[in-house]
Amino acid sequence: MAQIRNFGPVARLRSDASSHVIRYGNAGIRQSGRGLVFWFGPRTSSIAEVPMDDREATLFVKGRSQDFQAVTVQGMLTWRVADPELLASRVDFSIVMTNGQPRSEPIERIVTRLAGLVSQTTLEYLAGAPVRALLDAGIEPLRARVETALADAPSLAEIGIAVVAVRLASLAPSSELERALQTPTFEALQQKADEATFERRALAVDKERAIAENELANKVELARREKLLIAEEVENTRTRATGEAEAMQVEAAAEAERIRTLETAKSEAELARMAIYRDLPPAVMIGLAARELATKLDRIDHVNVTPDLLASLAEGFRKMPPVVDAR
């Protein structure tokens, strides 16, 4: 915005580099340029200030498709002044001589004209196709069509306005229609998700079956090995029992042989002793018997000697052979 300082009958104006200032006087242009600083007479001059920087305007168009469905378009439009003197001659950009404020709202008028052109082009485009085709095509065909329409619009060229860029953010139906259109896609995605879930479950079942089969195979193998182990233990037990039985048989045979040998020796000794006793006289036998009896008794209280016993002893002594002295 231009800065104006008044000094009595004259004033001094200082403008920014982003503004094009046009000073009119005596039915013509006295000065024109960007970032001017000059003195002027407020009563004899008229000044217009045209902004030269890029400006943006918000776009919002609500229309109907060929099948009578509500569609909303949103975006941004960037424009600039191509010919400031031409624009100042068609649109009032004059400022107040005392403070530099605009006398009217020229920017709003330009934005309104741009929005009208965009709305006309957008409504024609939306009405030319059903909503499904519009949504499938996206925003790029509409953006290109709006940009072409604005570039070729004579109503903009004749006032010195140029469109820099058109950016569309969305092309969307109403919320109810959007939900209705999303339902088939949502159902298809849900179906794919269910199929993926079923496949995952089937895969899990296959893995569980493989694990169960592996466990069963392990159990069968363990049972087989256990059977072999039991058979080996039975065989070892049988072998051990057979060995112990054979050892006991050998031991019993040895013990029997020892007893047999001992008894044979006792029998032979007894036979030899009996042979010795067989040749002894009765008196000697009686004496030996008496001695043996005496060894078995703890004490002798009394002894009975009968005449028969004495007669037998005397007869025995008589029959005994005489003892020869070897000396």
Side-chain angles (χ1 to χ4, degrees):
M1 185 181 67
Q3 299 177 2
I4 298 178
R5 298 184 62 183
N6 294 294
F7 297 94
V10 296
R12 183 171 178 269
L13 181 142
R14 177 185 296 274
S15 63
D16 296 331
S18 60
S19 299
H20 189 102
V21 176
I22 304 173
R23 178 188 173 194
Y24 300 92
N26 296 328
I29 297 177
R30 299 288 301 275
Q31 287 179 298
S32 178
R34 301 175 63 171
L36 296 180
V37 179
F38 55 85
W39 294 87
F40 65 95
R43 294 183 179 182
T44 60
S45 299
S46 177
I47 299 176
E49 184 181 17
V50 180
M52 300 300 294
D53 55 342
D54 290 350
R55 297 297 178 104
E56 291 187 345
T58 302
L59 301 178
F60 182 84
V61 181
K62 188 173 183 180
R64 289 183 180 275
S65 63
Q66 191 179 48
D67 50 357
F68 305 102
Q69 300 296 327
V71 182
T72 302
V73 178
Q74 298 183 18
M76 295 291 295
L77 174 66
T78 304
W79 60 276
R80 64 179 179 84
V81 177
D83 191 342
E85 294 183 0
L86 177 60
L87 180 59
S89 66
R90 297 295 301 271
V91 181
D92 184 13
F93 278 90
S94 61
I95 60 176
V96 179
M97 294 293 113
T98 57
N99 55 17
Q101 295 292 333
R103 294 182 181 274
S104 60
E105 296 180 351
I107 301 298
E108 284 72 10
R109 292 178 58 187
I110 297 174
V111 171
T112 300
R113 178 174 293 193
L114 291 171
L117 294 173
V118 172
S119 298
Q120 180 181 357
T121 305
T122 302
L123 294 176
E124 291 176 356
Y125 176 81
L126 296 178
V131 65
R132 172 60 71 178
L134 295 175
L135 296 177
D136 292 340
I139 61 176
E140 183 58 28
L142 177 58
R143 188 201 65 79
R145 185 165 179 176
V146 171
E147 192 173 46
T148 302
L150 293 177
D152 298 338
S155 59
L156 298 180
E158 66 184 11
I159 64 174
I161 295 297
V163 175
V164 177
V166 177
R167 299 185 300 276
L168 299 182
S170 66
L171 190 155
S174 61
S175 57
E176 295 81 4
L177 179 59
E178 186 174 6
R179 285 194 295 270
L181 294 175
Q182 288 175 352
T183 300
T185 303
F186 178 77
E187 292 297 334
L189 294 176
Q190 187 64 37
Q191 184 177 2
K192 290 183 179 180
D194 294 340
E195 292 176 356
T197 302
F198 295 151
E199 291 178 358
R200 185 169 63 253
R201 290 180 179 176
L203 182 60
V205 170
D206 292 339
K207 289 184 178 180
E208 290 177 358
R209 182 171 62 252
I211 292 173
E213 291 177 355
N214 190 19
E215 291 178 352
L216 181 60
N218 291 335
K219 290 181 179 179
V220 171
E221 180 64 20
L222 291 176
R224 187 184 66 81
R225 294 184 180 183
E226 186 176 3
K227 182 178 179 181
L228 294 177
L229 179 61
I230 293 174
E232 290 293 334
E233 290 180 351
V234 170
E235 184 65 26
N236 292 336
T237 303
R238 184 181 295 108
T239 302
R240 190 181 301 109
T242 303
E244 292 178 355
E246 292 178 355
M248 292 177 64
Q249 290 178 359
V250 172
E251 185 178 356
E255 182 66 18
E257 183 65 24
R258 185 182 65 80
I259 294 174
R260 188 182 301 108
T261 302
L262 181 60
E263 292 298 329
T264 302
K266 288 182 179 181
S267 298
E268 292 176 354
E270 186 66 23
L271 290 175
R273 189 176 64 179
M274 292 299 294
I276 294 173
Y277 288 160
R278 186 177 59 248
D279 296 335
L280 292 177
V284 176
M285 293 294 294
I286 293 172
L288 292 174
R291 189 182 63 181
E292 185 69 22
L293 179 62
T295 58
K296 300 295 183 181
L297 297 176
D298 294 334
R299 65 178 183 170
I300 299 175
D301 294 332
H302 58 274
V303 178
N304 294 324
V305 180
T306 62
D308 296 333
L309 177 61
L310 293 175
S312 298
L313 292 174
E315 184 65 23
F317 288 134
R318 186 179 63 80
K319 292 180 178 182
M320 288 180 59
V323 179
V324 178
D325 190 0
R327 295 179 300 180

